[in-house]
Amino acid sequence: MTATRALIVGGGPAGAAVAIELARAGLPHLLIERSRETGDALCGGFLSWRTLDTLARLGIDPDQLNPARTTTVRIFAGSRVAHAALPRPALSVSRRRLDTVLLAAAVAQGAAVERGVTVRAIEDGQVRTADGAVIAAPALFLANGKSDVRGTARPASARGADPTLGIRVRIMPPPAMARALAGQIDLYLFDRGYAGLAMQEDGSANLCMAVHRSRLQEAETPADLLAELGRAMPVLGEWVAAIAPDATIDAIANVPYGWRQTTGQAGQYRLGDQAGVIPSLAGEGMGIALASGLAAARAYRTDGAGGAAEWQQQLARTLARPIGVAGAVRRVAESRGVARLIPFAHPVLIRMLAQATRIGA
Ligand SMILES: Cc1cc2nc3c(=O)[nH]c(=O)nc-3n(C[C@H](O)[C@H](O)[C@H](O)COP(=O)(O)OP(=O)(O)OC[C@H]3O[C@@H](n4cnc5c(N)ncnc54)[C@H](O)[C@@H]3O)c2cc1C
């Protein structure tokens, strides 16, 4: 058995944020991450203005991620479109880039990071890894995001009766299309789902969808669904036509949108998607991951492992509004009649909703 004072499970945005802050404070810790190499996690890649504030507090310069800014949102439904300026500039970045920069920043601060180690179970106060090792840690930071670990899994009921899938395809657009999308994020609303589209720092456009299983089953395959949506929304259709024939379409199942951890447990700080899952239409999941990582590390610095229970309940209260508002917006956005509501999507209303779904540092 090995021991560490504080164990961080997962090196995504939440885990990296805790590691940066604990290393800065000189507090002993170990971060374990299952992947040996940083991949390009399935994500829309939109970092809101509030998330950029949190990144600044972690010492990350947004220009390292992408020097270009996103200032406008366009919302399409059927043949209708609404647009609005974002409250403040945001940016789009690939997860490969973001996760690489964050973990590198943690290591530069002196964080202890071990890669290629997968946690299999957290039971009876012990952490078991896939290679059979046992790690004892009085303080646990659960930052394993989309994946669950035995003993701390989010309830199956959180997925809902008609679970949601995430689907992502990268498009290398011709220069004229890339220029037309520069500075904007496009949201395409449709029955039981939405797609987001934005240019990223590597010159690719990220087309990322959240769609209910029943809707995907009707279309049969992700490629069929994209083709169908492209026919219904011609602006999207141009992008669907630009998808390379051999492009990979990535998917993840059972995203528990709307779920929040409302109870606390001494010694266990749950962060990011392990604390609450905001509908991705809001583009604030990474903001929650980073802000919760930063806040948990600060709570641990002052209150130690024993402060986790109270801190978790406080985080649940903080997340109630953004997750609740995003859930209500999502229900409207993925309803059949949403195109009829687009004329009422005044820029002031869009900006108000965009503000109400944010979390601060
Ligand atoms: C379709 C879709 C689109 C989205 N778009 C956006 C967007 O545009 N903007 C936004 O802000 N958010 C978006 N999100 C949400 C965002 O992706 C998540 O909220 C965010 O990644 C959560 O960060 P995290 O650090 O909690 O978890 P993750 O990013 O999932 O990171 C978890 C890390 O833990 C590691 N890990 C997992 N299990 C183990 C284990 N057992 N042992 C060791 N390591 C482990 C993983 O390898 C990973 O590195 C989107 C989500 C979806 C599904």
Side-chain angles (χ1 to χ4, degrees):
M1 181 183 318
T2 55
T4 175
R5 299 266 282 281
L7 183 70
I8 306 163
V9 182
V18 189
I20 290 173
E21 207 52 22
L22 293 186
R24 272 175 170 174
L27 293 170
H29 64 277
L30 173 65
L31 182 153
I32 53 181
E33 163 57 46
R34 68 180 171 191
S35 65
R36 288 191 186 279
E37 305 281 332
T38 300
D40 196 15
L42 191 157
C43 184
F46 175 83
L47 297 178
S48 77
W49 50 100
R50 295 295 287 272
T51 307
L52 299 187
D53 293 344
T54 309
L55 281 167
R57 295 177 81 157
L58 289 163
I60 308 291
D61 175 1
D63 287 346
Q64 267 183 283
L65 305 173
N66 187 349
R69 293 293 179 272
T70 305
T71 54
T72 325
V73 57
R74 296 193 300 178
I75 304 173
F76 296 84
S79 57
R80 294 185 163 149
V81 60
H83 44 86
L86 294 174
R88 280 196 278 139
L91 70 75
S92 287
V93 64
S94 69
R95 285 298 297 272
R96 187 187 304 283
R97 178 86 185 136
L98 177 70
D99 292 11
T100 301
V101 167
L102 282 168
L103 264 193
V107 170
Q109 291 290 341
V113 175
E114 268 184 38
R115 303 201 69 150
V117 183
T118 302
V119 170
R120 277 278 178 264
I122 301 174
E123 285 162 338
D124 307 324
Q126 287 191 332
V127 176
R128 287 181 191 281
T129 63
D131 58 5
V134 175
I135 307 174
L140 271 180
F141 292 89
L142 297 186
N144 41 298
K146 298 166 182 73
S147 315
D148 280 317
V149 168
R150 200 167 72 224
T152 60
R154 297 162 297 182
S157 57
R159 301 167 187 163
D162 185 7
T164 307
L165 291 93
I167 294 173
R168 186 264 311 271
V169 61
R170 289 185 216 81
I171 304 169
M172 288 308 295
M177 280 176 83
R179 276 195 301 278
L181 190 57
Q184 312 197 89
I185 178 157
D186 284 356
L187 298 176
Y188 297 91
L189 312 183
F190 58 90
D191 173 24
R192 283 164 286 162
Y194 89 96
L197 177 73
M199 291 301 300
Q200 298 192 324
E201 84 294 346
D202 58 4
S204 69
N206 180 351
L207 179 57
C208 194
M209 291 199 275
V211 58
H212 283 277
R213 187 171 62 191
S214 63
R215 182 71 176 84
L216 182 61
Q217 280 168 343
E218 278 171 27
E220 292 192 2
T221 69
D224 292 332
L225 177 62
L226 282 167
E228 202 183 291
L229 296 173
R231 286 192 292 275
M233 293 182 272
V235 180
L236 179 59
E238 286 178 36
W239 286 91
V240 172
I243 297 173
D246 60 348
T248 307
I249 301 183
D250 304 304
I252 51 164
N254 300 328
V255 186
Y257 286 134
W259 173 82
R260 270 182 310 137
Q261 175 71 31
T262 51
T263 55
Q265 189 178 324
Q268 207 172 91
Y269 289 90
R270 296 184 74 117
L271 316 170
D273 281 1
Q274 287 291 317
V277 186
I278 191 165
S280 47
L281 182 68
E284 195 65 357
M286 290 187 282
I288 290 174
L290 292 164
S292 61
L294 183 64
R298 291 185 176 177
Y300 174 70
R301 199 172 61 195
T302 50
D303 302 326
E310 173 59 32
W311 178 84
Q312 197 74 54
Q313 288 169 38
Q314 174 60 43
L315 178 66
R317 288 192 287 275
T318 307
L319 294 182
R321 189 193 67 177
I323 291 184
V325 173
V329 171
R330 178 187 182 215
R331 279 189 290 281
V332 173
E334 59 185 35
S335 63
R336 277 177 203 272
V338 66
R340 286 197 301 273
L341 299 174
I342 289 291
F344 302 101
H346 191 275
V348 174
L349 176 65
I350 296 172
R351 270 200 298 278
M352 272 171 54
L353 292 172
Q355 288 284 28
T357 47
R358 302 301 134 198
I359 179 173

